Amino acid sequence: MTDPTTLTAAELGGAIAAGDITAVEAAEAHYARIDAVDGAIHAFLHLDREGALAQAADIDRRVAAGERLGPLAGVPLALKDVLVQRGVPTTAGSRMLEGWRPPYDATVVTRLREAGVVILGKTNMDEFAMGSSTEHSAYGPTRNPWNTDRIPGGSGGGSAAAVSAFMAPLAIGTDTGGSIRQPAAVTGSVGVKPTYGSVSRRGLIAFSSSLDQAGPCARTVLDTALLHEAIAGHDPLDSTSIDAPVPAVVAAARHADVRGMRVGIVRELTGEGYQPDVQARFDESVELLRELGAEIVEVHCPNFVHALAAYYLIAPSEASSNLARFDGMRYGLRVGDDGTHSAEEVMALSRAAGFGAEVKRRIMIGTYALSSGYYDAYYGQAQKVRTLITRDFEAAFARVDVLISPTTPTTAFRIGERLDDPMAMYRADLATIPSNLAGNSAMSIPAGLDSDGLPVGLQIMAPALADDRLYRVGAAVETALNARWGGPLLDKLTVGGTR
Amino acid sequence: MTDAVLAYDEVLESYDPVLGLEVHVELGTASKMFCGCSTEFGAEPNTQVCPVCLGLPGSLPVVNAVAVESAIRIGLALNCSIAPWSRFARKNYFYPDMPKDFQTSQYDEPIAFDGWLDVEVPTDDGVRTFRVEIERAHMEEDTGKSLHVGGATGRIHGADFSLVDYNRAGIPLIEIVTKPLAGAGELAPEVARAYVTELRELLVGLGISEARMDRGQLRCDANVSLRPRWAEGEEPTPLGTRTETKNVNSFRSVERAVRFEMCRHAAVLSGGGTILQETRHFHENDGTTTSGRIKSDAEDYRYFPEPDLVPIAPDPEWIEKLRGTLPESPAERRRRLSEAWGFSDKDLQAAVNAGAVDLITATVAAGTTPDAARKWWLGELARRANETGADLDALGVSPVQVAQLQALVDAGRINDKLARQVLDGVLLGEGSPEDVVVARGLEVVSDTGALGAAVDAAIAARPDVAEKIRGGKVAAVGALVGAVMKATRGQADAATVKDLILARLTADS
Ligand SMILES: [Zn+2]
């Protein structure tokens, strides 16, 4: 039997449907892989072996009974710990929620179950998704499978590391400012932030409600599309969910042809501030697209230079309110409940003990930005910038089908390197943030390696509800690059001497 | 410590009151504002909750369409403009009964704004009408309910522990805020009461809430400030500092709280002091208020648009359709009832301000004459409500029971005095008036045979009085009637007794 962990999700799903591999075998093989390598990586915070194997056994029974299931039935998946799963510990990477077991399933989890996807466990992340390195997890950092001294990106470093280290073919991430795409870029995997409102946020522990969006992570563009299709769609229980058909992303991923497409290079997202290797891989991708028949156009999005500043007012403002509920009263950590403290003091003590430094920093920023007398100058102004950035995108998309840029200014930095320099940490999301502010869709795919052998990501951006364009362009680039490299980039990866 | 107060007449010699009334009404929707949980009153604590109204991580709100419809109908009934586009906002503050530690409310973009409601106050010179201008009506969610156990005050400060019931958390509320109401002068407390009463009648008429103050379905915060009087032709003096009195749980309390705050403010101001902008708590037992939170600039709710909800943009056609569903206004209804019942303006106004119109209507519907119904609700029942501090509808006797009581009187089975005893029984939960009559044996003794023995005994006991009557002093009969009534524990019909005595003593003369 082929080692199930080496297969793509599409291949594994096909093998399970054909009865060549059972879902239980697939889950067990991935757990074995996790047991072998996750000690060095720390992608997972919790493994739900019992639940996953029961779910896999159910899939096997249904396959044996001749039921026709979806393309991902029986395929294992790693779930970012910011999505609630009934009865399974969910922490959002915070001490605040240590030991909390949600009484309900996120809509994404419900959709995964309906698709027969087997949820192996919960992955590590920066606390409440605030960070770009997964170093802000209360449970210790995740390491980059390409080089364990390096960060795996963040906040969804655990999901990206799990996928790139072959511990799961699929993972769910959430992207508020780049938390799916930046980890995908620095781990050599594929990640998509779908159009805001196209994947339900119900059960996604909110960081910044107007920016948060769950999305798929995988090793191939097609796998990413299959997962995208499984989780997207209207949810009446999320008021911001879009009631529109999901773009045909799987068909697009199979239609790897960019001939006649107009591809825009965003001048503001290249050049200065971008690592020379990153710029070089990007320039090569542009050439490749030209060779594949795309028309390359240069566009300007002048307001993108303000995106980072606007983001770091809007996201912390919403977070300061979203995280207020963690007060030790109803669930999670409670400190000082010894009969000597008032309820107000217990709230303060619980929050002081439960939140990490980065979360506190952002709560402080957001509280300040929303304060009376400062609101207009900060939050109000940031919302205006947001509108201008949306208009920049609209102007650009009037001329081109997709925009491209490097996903990140640099490849994976060293663990600890930016912990004392929040601004340097924040700049990791320079190129990913504009799509969140505008609510558009965007993807990161591998574009090659830098001189240290670390992955570089190519970002593709499309208008809202045109997510299918990402997959069409992504699949074309992926096919051409794999041909050039003689196989997928991740096949070059060995983790701790394994594989 | 008791606050010094100035006599009411003195207050008005020097000061002019300005009121602001904030009324919260719980909508009678089947489900909560942002989730599907039941709103049924009185369930076991924390049994009507879900991830949304408990504010669990990851939960999201979905707006209850019926609540939006109710808000629009209230806005229309209050002559407000309906916003073509409005939003929810988050009001951020920490409190254990606030599951998300923010309240989803509306801030600078309310669904209804700029309206008015006319209220009428009876005076010695006839009924005066005041137009109360409405600033806004907006939607929000209720908080949970805290119970602070131990400690002296029943408030969170100093309590041994606190319990929170989240059944109420997320129940739809409409907050109706008036513009500053000036010019009521000495009638300010009555105007405040009349406004809340009128508003309640309007809400009940709309069928969107039972609006019972005793159940907290209608809650009023009364803002009061005083400004020095100014001479005719001069610029009005600037508005004074206001206090906001909470916990005002009956119509009568609204009036009392406003009156007390006016007298307290005046005492402070006359003594050269300044009024603190603060929340005050009203105490039902003695009609006073005590200091709550100091409202300072530090109190910053950090409002911002609720990102989990999309704006509300009601279709203008729908709004017009809802306008068509509005019932007659309370004022129109009163005119109609006044005619049907034959009440004087003053009687009807008294009924309105006692919150008795619906009760009288229901009593009449149950077969009582309008006059008899009015006498019950504005007489004996109003007196009892006054004694206990409850509103009439919270007294514990239903219109149907009042009608049954009156029917017993009309049938001659009980007299007025007995009726009051029957009412005692009903209020004590002993059942219907009929049940009480039977159980307590309160029926009038009209059987002349049975009475005859008592009459004979009374005559035999007082030969002196009997002699006087025989001698023509008929007025002396009262003493004997009293004796018979006493002997029959009030259950005899006094007129019958008198007839019997006179028949016996004058027949053989
Ligand atoms: Zn609920």
Side-chain angles (χ1 to χ4, degrees):
Chain A
M1 185 185 81
T2 331
D3 176 0
T5 66
T6 64
L7 301 177
T8 67
E11 290 165 349
L12 188 52
I16 291 167
D20 297 340
I21 299 174
T22 66
V24 168
E25 284 166 351
E28 280 172 344
H30 283 91
Y31 279 128
R33 173 76 181 165
I34 291 166
D35 291 340
V37 303
D38 203 37
I41 304 298
H42 190 223
F44 285 90
L45 290 177
H46 178 83
L47 295 172
D48 179 28
R49 290 178 202 259
E50 209 180 308
L53 289 172
Q55 204 195 340
D58 179 54
I59 296 293
D60 287 337
R61 265 192 301 277
R62 292 163 66 187
V63 170
E67 222 180 296
R68 275 187 61 88
L69 303 172
L72 296 180
V75 178
L77 172 138
L79 184 66
K80 190 178 180 182
D81 203 27
V82 74
L83 286 143
V84 303
Q85 188 181 352
R86 179 196 282 263
V88 175
T90 300
T91 67
S94 181
R95 281 277 169 245
M96 191 57 98
L97 282 175
E98 195 167 5
W100 181 61
R101 290 172 188 261
Y104 75 110
D105 275 336
T107 298
V108 166
V109 170
T110 306
R111 298 249 158 110
L112 290 171
R113 287 193 202 287
E114 284 164 3
V117 174
V118 175
I119 303 172
L120 298 176
K122 310 295 292 284
T123 59
N124 200 10
M125 55 184 284
D126 286 296
E127 185 176 3
F128 288 108
M130 299 179 190
S132 307
S133 69
T134 315
E135 292 167 288
H136 296 307
S137 167
Y139 305 98
T142 297
R143 292 168 183 277
N144 192 321
W146 290 83
N147 179 336
T148 52
D149 293 333
R150 304 275 176 158
I151 59 102
S155 63
S159 284
V163 163
S164 59
F166 292 81
M167 291 187 271
L170 300 173
I172 295 290
T174 60
D175 193 314
T176 307
S179 289
I180 290 174
R181 290 162 289 159
Q182 183 254 7
V186 301
T187 60
S189 53
V190 180
V192 165
K193 182 201 95 71
T195 298
Y196 180 82
S198 62
V199 177
S200 172
R201 289 187 297 115
R202 180 170 168 274
L204 193 178
I205 299 176
F207 159 19
S208 177
S209 311
S210 74
L211 299 164
D212 294 344
Q213 187 60 200
C217 312
R219 290 189 294 266
T220 73
V221 171
L222 178 61
D223 286 0
T224 312
L226 289 167
L227 183 53
H228 187 140
E229 199 165 74
I231 60 173
H234 181 237
D235 178 5
L237 297 179
D238 172 0
S239 307
T240 60
S241 169
I242 298 172
D243 191 2
V246 179
V249 292
V250 174
R254 292 195 164 112
H255 182 63
D257 184 355
V258 294
R259 278 175 301 177
M261 284 186 85
R262 286 163 304 162
V263 175
I265 300 167
V266 184
R267 261 301 144 231
E268 286 75 13
L269 298 181
T270 56
E272 205 188 333
Y274 286 78
Q275 186 182 312
D277 277 355
V278 169
Q279 185 67 46
R281 294 300 89 75
F282 176 70
D283 293 342
E284 290 161 18
S285 302
V286 172
E287 265 329 294
L288 184 70
L289 279 162
R290 205 191 303 275
E291 285 166 24
L292 292 172
E295 182 193 338
I296 306 295
V297 182
E298 200 169 284
V299 302
H300 282 279
C301 293
N303 294 295
F304 280 21
V305 295
H306 305 301
L308 197 64
Y311 175 85
Y312 275 99
L313 288 169
I314 292 168
S317 293
E318 293 182 6
S320 72
S321 174
N322 282 331
L323 270 59
R325 69 189 65 194
F326 302 104
D327 60 8
M329 292 293 119
R330 289 160 298 277
Y331 46 80
L333 186 72
R334 180 186 287 186
V335 175
D337 185 11
D338 55 8
T340 70
H341 295 99
S342 69
E344 198 171 57
E345 287 164 348
V346 171
M347 287 183 174
L349 289 167
S350 301
R351 290 169 67 79
F355 289 140
E358 181 62 24
V359 171
K360 286 177 185 164
R361 188 197 329 274
R362 297 200 196 189
I363 289 174
M364 293 298 290
I365 293 171
T367 302
Y368 189 81
L370 289 177
S371 295
S372 124
Y374 297 95
Y375 180 93
D376 290 338
Y378 294 114
Y379 187 78
Q381 197 69 9
Q383 290 292 10
K384 287 180 193 160
V385 170
R386 188 173 187 172
T387 304
L388 294 177
I389 286 167
T390 305
R391 286 193 194 143
D392 278 1
F393 268 120
E394 282 166 4
F397 286 129
R399 296 177 55 206
V400 300
D401 298 309
V402 293
L403 295 168
I404 56 170
S405 77
T407 310
T408 58
T410 71
T411 52
F413 46 90
R414 283 187 181 74
I415 287 174
E417 191 181 314
R418 297 190 186 176
L419 270 182
D420 298 326
D421 186 354
M423 282 312 293
M425 185 76 88
Y426 296 169
R427 274 196 293 274
D429 296 330
L430 212 54
T432 47
I433 280 172
S435 296
N436 296 89
L437 289 172
N440 293 339
S441 54
M443 168 189 272
S444 180
I445 57 167
L449 301 176
D450 72 358
S451 54
D452 292 328
L454 294 168
V456 174
L458 170 69
Q459 179 175 232
I460 307 160
M461 295 167 271
L465 294 175
D467 310 40
D468 51 327
R469 295 185 202 169
L470 305 173
Y471 288 94
R472 195 170 150 196
V473 176
V477 174
E478 178 187 58
T479 307
L481 284 177
N482 284 356
R484 188 174 289 180
W485 299 329
L489 193 65
L490 276 166
D491 283 0
K492 301 181 202 312
L493 170 64
T494 55
V495 182
T498 319
R499 279 175 44 90
Chain B
M1 194 196 75
T2 326
D3 288 290
V5 292
L6 213 60
Y8 194 64
D9 289 347
E10 288 179 57
V11 174
L12 293 154
E13 278 168 24
S14 314
Y15 300 102
D16 186 42
V18 178
L19 306 181
L21 297 163
E22 291 170 23
V23 169
H24 286 88
V25 56
E26 269 184 5
L27 296 179
T29 52
S31 59
K32 292 186 178 181
M33 187 75 221
F34 300 116
C35 63
C37 288
S38 166
T39 57
E40 193 70 38
F41 181 83
E44 280 292 299
N46 297 309
T47 54
Q48 293 173 169
V49 293
C50 73
V52 176
C53 55
L54 283 177
L56 293 191
S59 62
L60 291 174
V62 177
V63 175
N64 181 338
V66 179
V68 176
E69 182 180 302
S70 299
I72 292 174
R73 292 181 73 229
I74 290 176
L76 293 172
L78 289 171
N79 307 292
C80 288
S81 303
I82 304 302
W85 193 90
S86 74
R87 274 199 292 197
F88 283 97
R90 292 187 183 178
K91 179 181 183 180
N92 294 285
Y93 66 95
F94 285 90
Y95 202 80
D97 66 17
M98 175 64 67
K100 297 168 291 183
D101 288 302
F102 63 77
Q103 183 186 30
T104 306
S105 180
Q106 293 195 293
Y107 179 48
D108 50 358
E109 295 156 314
I111 189 155
F113 57 95
D114 285 350
W116 50 264
L117 180 66
D118 283 342
V119 303
E120 292 166 344
V121 179
T123 71
D124 294 341
D125 310 326
V127 172
R128 271 185 68 189
T129 302
F130 290 87
R131 174 153 294 189
V132 179
E133 289 190 81
I134 307 293
E135 168 95 29
R136 56 190 280 151
H138 74 245
M139 295 176 280
E140 60 185 36
E141 58 180 336
D142 210 342
T143 62
K145 210 169 181 175
S146 297
L147 179 67
H148 306 297
V149 182
T153 58
R155 308 228 296 270
I156 190 167
H157 190 74
D160 293 333
F161 61 90
S162 299
L163 300 169
V164 188
D165 177 7
Y166 292 104
N167 283 355
R168 200 181 71 176
I171 288 188
L173 290 181
I174 305 292
E175 181 176 343
I176 301 158
V177 182
T178 67
K179 291 182 180 170
L181 174 61
E186 60 172 342
L187 291 175
E190 282 95 337
V191 169
R193 177 182 182 151
Y195 167 71
V196 179
T197 310
E198 182 81 359
L199 188 57
R200 179 188 187 253
E201 210 178 316
L202 178 139
L203 295 166
V204 172
L206 286 169
I208 53 167
S209 174
E210 287 184 56
R212 287 179 55 162
M213 288 193 93
D214 61 312
R215 285 187 177 181
Q217 292 163 335
L218 187 76
R219 310 199 276 274
C220 177
D221 300 336
N223 289 277
V224 175
S225 69
L226 293 184
R227 54 178 168 180
R229 287 204 167 278
W230 63 93
E232 195 104 18
E234 276 178 26
E235 280 285 294
T237 51
L239 294 182
T241 305
R242 68 190 165 85
T243 52
E244 181 182 2
T245 304
K246 293 191 176 281
N247 198 30
V248 191
N249 295 329
S250 69
F251 300 122
R252 191 164 154 266
S253 298
V254 173
E255 182 177 334
R256 290 170 82 206
V258 168
R259 194 181 299 272
F260 179 83
E261 276 299 280
M262 284 171 64
C263 297
R264 189 186 66 83
H265 280 219
V268 171
L269 295 170
S270 302
T274 50
I275 297 294
L276 291 174
Q277 190 176 344
E278 62 180 349
T279 304
R280 309 277 303 179
H281 292 274
F282 181 70
H283 302 287
E284 200 73 55
N285 52 350
D286 60 1
T288 64
T289 69
T290 53
S291 179
R293 279 176 301 130
I294 300 288
K295 284 203 157 189
S296 68
D297 294 340
E299 189 171 47
D300 180 352
Y301 292 121
R302 291 174 285 117
Y303 281 102
F304 73 106
E306 167 59 275
D308 284 333
L309 293 171
V310 291
I312 301 157
D315 184 344
E317 272 180 42
W318 183 47
I319 294 174
E320 284 318 305
K321 219 171 115 193
L322 291 179
R323 199 188 293 279
T325 69
L326 296 184
E328 63 185 341
S329 74
E332 288 164 354
R333 178 161 174 259
R334 275 199 302 277
R335 274 192 291 279
R336 181 171 59 76
L337 290 177
S338 182
E339 226 157 86
W341 292 348
F343 284 7
S344 70
D345 279 359
K346 201 168 172 188
D347 280 349
L348 190 79
Q349 204 49 53
V352 169
N353 290 352
V357 173
D358 288 333
L359 298 166
I360 293 173
T361 306
T363 310
V364 170
T368 306
T369 65
D371 259 326
R374 180 178 61 79
K375 278 179 191 147
W376 274 113
W377 289 107
L378 299 183
E380 180 63 19
L381 292 167
R383 192 178 61 72
R384 288 175 188 245
N386 235 15
E387 271 168 21
T388 57
D391 283 326
L392 282 174
D393 59 356
L395 204 56
V397 58
S398 72
V400 169
Q401 289 169 329
V402 172
Q404 291 168 343
L405 199 51
Q406 182 60 38
L408 289 171
V409 174
D410 292 344
R413 290 180 58 198
I414 53 174
N415 55 26
D416 285 354
K417 187 177 168 213
L418 287 175
R420 285 197 287 278
Q421 291 178 41
V422 175
L423 180 61
D424 289 338
V426 172
L427 291 175
L428 286 169
E430 293 171 16
S432 71
E434 181 71 42
D435 295 341
V436 178
V437 166
V438 172
R440 291 193 175 192
L442 291 177
E443 200 140 359
V444 168
V445 182
S446 54
D447 168 10
T448 48
L451 271 178
V455 167
D456 291 343
I459 292 170
R462 299 292 301 275
D464 51 329
V465 179
E467 208 43 51
K468 279 183 190 166
I469 296 169
R470 283 197 189 98
K473 289 194 173 173
V474 173
V477 75
L480 293 182
V481 171
V484 172
M485 293 306 282
K486 198 171 173 191
T488 57
R489 301 200 323 277
Q491 279 172 259
D493 181 62
T496 311
V497 172
K498 188 179 168 191
D499 288 349
L500 283 175
I501 295 170
L502 292 178
R504 274 169 171 63
L505 295 179
T506 56
D508 46 77
S509 63

